[in-house]
Amino acid sequence: MMETINILYIGRHPEILETVIRLINANENWNGVGVMNDEEAKEIFLKKDFSIVLLGSGIQEESEVELCVFFKNKNPNISIVQHYGGGSGLLKSEILLGLHNNKN
């Protein structure tokens, strides 16, 4: 049995967040957690062992930089991927690529 891969998605749009988490959780080996604000993202990141962080659209550049620094400080091996939508195929590719890069 494969281990479950925890994926943190940070997005600013509730409908998109809901859809992305549903798509992530459709894969039996993935566990998606979605949050809308930076503080919540940091809190949950410290509580769970995430393999990858997806940054959704609508995040201000300043927030994005701050989040990336925070995540990398806590886990230098974390894979951080930009996800701007584009359907489930693209989402899956981004996650798989992020996980692959994580192993290198």
Side-chain angles (χ1 to χ4, degrees):
M1 191 179 132
M2 281 185 64
E3 68 175 276
T4 300
I5 293 164
N6 291 313
I7 300 166
L8 177 60
Y9 175 81
I10 305 160
R12 301 294 194 240
H13 307 285
E15 307 79 25
I16 297 172
L17 186 137
E18 197 178 297
T19 303
V20 169
I21 293 305
R22 189 180 67 240
L23 290 169
I24 290 170
N25 289 331
N27 183 314
E28 62 184 20
N29 299 319
W30 294 351
N31 174 45
V33 177
V35 295
M36 289 183 59
N37 71 64
D38 298 358
E39 289 313 308
E40 203 179 344
K42 291 174 185 176
E43 273 176 39
I44 201 153
F45 189 81
L46 295 175
K47 292 179 185 157
K48 222 178 187 146
D49 185 21
F50 289 99
S51 300
I52 187 169
V53 173
L54 294 174
L55 299 174
S57 59
I59 299 174
Q60 299 296 325
E61 193 176 335
E62 198 178 297
S63 274
E64 197 173 292
V65 169
E66 189 186 313
L67 285 169
C68 289
V69 168
F70 178 86
F71 297 143
K72 288 285 184 187
N73 281 341
K74 302 297 176 202
N75 177 0
N77 299 320
I78 192 71
S79 189
I80 301 171
V81 177
Q82 299 282 351
H83 175 70
Y84 294 124
S88 59
L90 180 63
L91 176 67
K92 185 175 182 183
S93 300
E94 289 171 343
I95 291 171
L96 292 172
L97 184 65
L99 293 171
H100 174 75
N101 291 342
N102 205 353
K103 288 184 172 56
N104 295 338

